Amino acid sequence: MRQDLPATAYALLGLLTLGEEPVTGYELKQRADSTLRFYWVSPAMSQIYSELARLTERGLVAATSEQDGGREVTSYAITAAGREALHTWMADTPAGFPVLKHSVCLRLLMGHAADPEGTVRMLEEYVEECAAARADLQQVRDGLRGNDGPGQPFFHPSLVADWGLDYFEDEARHARRALDRLRED
Amino acid sequence: MRQDLPATAYALLGLLTLGEEPVTGYELKQRADSTLRFYWVSPAMSQIYSELARLTERGLVAATSEQDGGREVTSYAITAAGREALHTWMADTPAGFPVLKHSVCLRLLMGHAADPEGTVRMLEEYVEECAAARADLQQVRDGLRGNDGPGQPFFHPSLVADWGLDYFEDEARHARRALDRLRED
DNA sequence: ACAGCCATGTAACTCGTTACATGATTAC
DNA sequence: GTAATCATGTAACGAGTTACATGGCTGT
C-alpha cells in the first residue's frame, strides 16, 4: 500500500511520536517551531490543520474532541498504523539530498549587480542572524540534557541539535570569510 | 513601482548578467544547473520558460527570435529595465534567512522510529553524496580561475563557490560525527 | 476593559513540479 | 538509422502561503 504523502506529513507524524499525550494542532505547531524549524520549513498553522485532517482520514492519527468550557478542542495522537507508515517511509524512501534556498549565497553570486556596501551589510546581518539562531537552538539543546544518552528519549534530537549548532557556527564563519575577501580590494 | 516577482525570477535575471550574449531558455537552464543549483533550487525547464515569458512581458528581458534552419529559436537578454529591477531588488528587499529542507536531519531527528542500520546507512550515503557534490562544485570552481580576482567577472561567483566547497565539507563532517555517536552505544 | 494567547478553520492564490507533446539537429 | 541532445512549450496537479474569519480563555 503506497502512502505517498509529502515529507511534511511524516514530519508531523514524527513530532507526534516525541510525546505521549495527544496534542492539539496549535501545540503541534509550537513543537514544530521549537525543533523542526531549524532543519525544515516549519509549516503554517493552516497547513498543520489540513495535514492533520488528511492523516486522520487515512487512519494514521486519531482525533479526540473534547469540550473545554464553551469550545471544542481536538487533540491528535499517532495510531499504530501511523507508526507503521512512518517506519515504512523511513525504511523504503531514500532521504534525498537536502533542498536549500540560500538567499544570501544567491545574492552574493550576483554581487556585481549590487552596491558593494549593500552586500557587506547583508553578510554582516547574516552573521548576526546565525548567532541568534544558534542561541535559540542552544536553548532547545539545553532542554534535552539528562535525557540525551544512547537509548534515552532525546538521544536523536540531541544529535540533530548538535549538528545544527555546528552548522550555524560554520555558516557565520563562511560569511565572515566572504566579508574578508570583499574588504580586501 | 513594485515588481514583486519571486526570487527565482531575479535569480534568472542575475544569470543573464553573467554573460554578454543572449541565451536560449535551454542554455539558461544549463547555466542554472552549473552554478545556481548548489545554493538554490534549480528551476525546471518549464518554469524557466514561463518565467522568461513573464519577464519579457514586463520588459525586463528582451526576446529575439531567429530561424535556425527549420526551427525557431528564441534567445533572451536582460534589458536596462531588467538591470534596474535587479539592482532595486537587491538594495531594497532583505535577503531573509536561508530556507532549508534537510531531509537527512529530519530523519535523524526521528531516528527512534527507524531501524538503526537504516539510519547509519543514510548517513553514510549522505557523506558520499556530499563528497560527490563537492567534486562537482570543484570542477565549476576550477573553471573560474584566472578571472576570480577583485573586480574581475568571476569574483563573486568564486566567493560563493568557495563557500559551497566548505559547506559540503562541513556537512560531511557533521554526518560523520553523528555516525560516531550512533556507533558508540 | 483590553491585550494577548489559545484554538480552529476556509478561500484564494502562487510557486514549482511532473507528465505530456512536438520536432529539429548532431554524433555514432 | 537511431540515439542523444537541443529546443519549446502546455496541462494538470500538489504543496504551501497569506489573508480572512471566528471566538473563548487568561492575566492585568
Side-chain angles (χ1 to χ4, degrees):
Chain A
M1 178 175 88
R2 272 207 86 36
Q3 282 295 344
D4 225 28
L5 289 164
T8 299
Y10 292 102
L12 293 182
L13 282 180
L15 287 180
L16 287 173
T17 66
L18 292 183
E20 298 298 304
E21 290 114 45
V23 287
T24 65
Y26 192 88
E27 288 168 321
L28 199 56
K29 166 69 173 162
Q30 295 185 316
R31 201 177 277 184
D33 283 344
S34 76
T35 58
L36 207 59
R37 82 141 203 271
F38 298 102
Y39 330 100
W40 198 262
V41 185
S42 196
M45 279 293 348
S46 64
Q47 199 195 353
I48 292 198
Y49 285 116
S50 52
E51 206 62 71
L52 281 172
R54 170 159 56 178
L55 291 169
T56 304
E57 206 183 325
R58 301 207 187 183
L60 305 182
V61 306
T64 52
S65 292
E66 271 174 30
Q67 289 296 324
D68 173 28
R71 65 179 161 173
E72 188 158 292
V73 170
T74 307
S75 297
Y76 299 86
I78 189 168
T79 62
R83 283 178 203 277
E84 202 191 312
L86 179 58
H87 194 273
T88 304
W89 178 70
M90 301 263 273
D92 294 358
T93 315
F97 209 70
V99 171
L100 188 58
K101 290 182 115 176
H102 204 302
S103 37
V104 174
C105 282
L106 174 64
R107 279 161 187 251
L108 185 57
L109 177 68
M110 330 192 278
H112 65 280
D115 294 321
E117 320 88 61
T119 305
V120 166
R121 205 179 326 116
M122 173 187 72
L123 288 171
E124 286 169 346
E125 278 167 20
Y126 184 52
V127 169
E128 280 168 38
E129 284 167 2
C130 283
R134 194 182 190 281
D136 284 356
L137 184 51
Q138 185 70 61
Q139 294 269 44
V140 176
R141 177 60 180 99
D142 290 339
L144 305 176
R145 296 236 183 262
N147 279 306
D148 55 355
Q152 289 185 307
F154 293 155
F155 178 53
H156 288 96
S158 79
L159 293 181
V160 187
D162 287 334
W163 183 320
L165 289 171
D166 275 3
Y167 167 75
F168 288 128
E169 218 165 279
D170 291 337
E171 281 291 284
R173 198 184 68 240
H174 300 146
R176 278 193 300 265
R177 183 175 151 189
L179 274 172
D180 287 343
R181 282 174 63 187
L182 280 173
R183 283 163 177 155
E184 244 173 47
D185 62 323
Chain B
M1 178 174 87
R2 273 209 84 36
Q3 281 296 345
D4 225 28
L5 288 165
T8 299
Y10 292 102
L12 292 181
L13 282 181
L15 287 180
L16 286 173
T17 66
L18 293 183
E20 298 297 304
E21 291 115 43
V23 287
T24 65
Y26 192 89
E27 288 167 321
L28 200 56
K29 167 68 173 164
Q30 295 184 316
R31 201 177 277 185
D33 282 343
S34 77
T35 59
L36 207 59
R37 82 142 202 272
F38 298 102
Y39 331 101
W40 198 263
V41 185
S42 196
M45 278 292 350
S46 66
Q47 199 194 352
I48 293 198
Y49 284 117
S50 53
E51 206 62 71
L52 281 172
R54 169 158 58 177
L55 291 169
T56 305
E57 206 184 327
R58 301 206 186 184
L60 305 183
V61 305
T64 52
S65 292
E66 272 173 30
Q67 289 298 323
D68 172 28
R71 65 178 161 176
E72 188 158 292
V73 171
T74 308
S75 297
Y76 300 86
I78 189 168
T79 63
R83 282 177 205 277
E84 201 191 311
L86 179 59
H87 194 274
T88 304
W89 178 71
M90 301 264 272
D92 294 358
T93 315
F97 210 69
V99 171
L100 189 58
K101 290 184 114 176
H102 204 303
S103 36
V104 174
C105 281
L106 173 64
R107 279 161 188 251
L108 186 56
L109 177 68
M110 328 191 280
H112 64 281
D115 295 321
E117 320 88 61
T119 306
V120 165
R121 205 177 327 116
M122 173 186 72
L123 288 171
E124 286 169 346
E125 279 167 19
Y126 185 51
V127 169
E128 280 168 38
E129 283 166 2
C130 283
R134 193 179 190 283
D136 285 356
L137 184 52
Q138 185 71 60
Q139 295 269 42
V140 175
R141 176 62 180 97
D142 290 339
L144 306 177
R145 297 238 183 259
N147 279 305
D148 54 355
Q152 290 184 306
F154 294 154
F155 177 54
H156 288 96
S158 79
L159 292 181
V160 187
D162 287 334
W163 183 320
L165 288 172
D166 274 4
Y167 167 74
F168 288 128
E169 217 166 280
D170 291 337
E171 281 290 285
R173 198 184 66 240
H174 299 147
R176 277 194 300 266
R177 183 175 151 189
L179 274 171
D180 286 343
R181 282 174 64 187
L182 279 173
R183 284 162 176 157
E184 244 172 46
D185 59 322

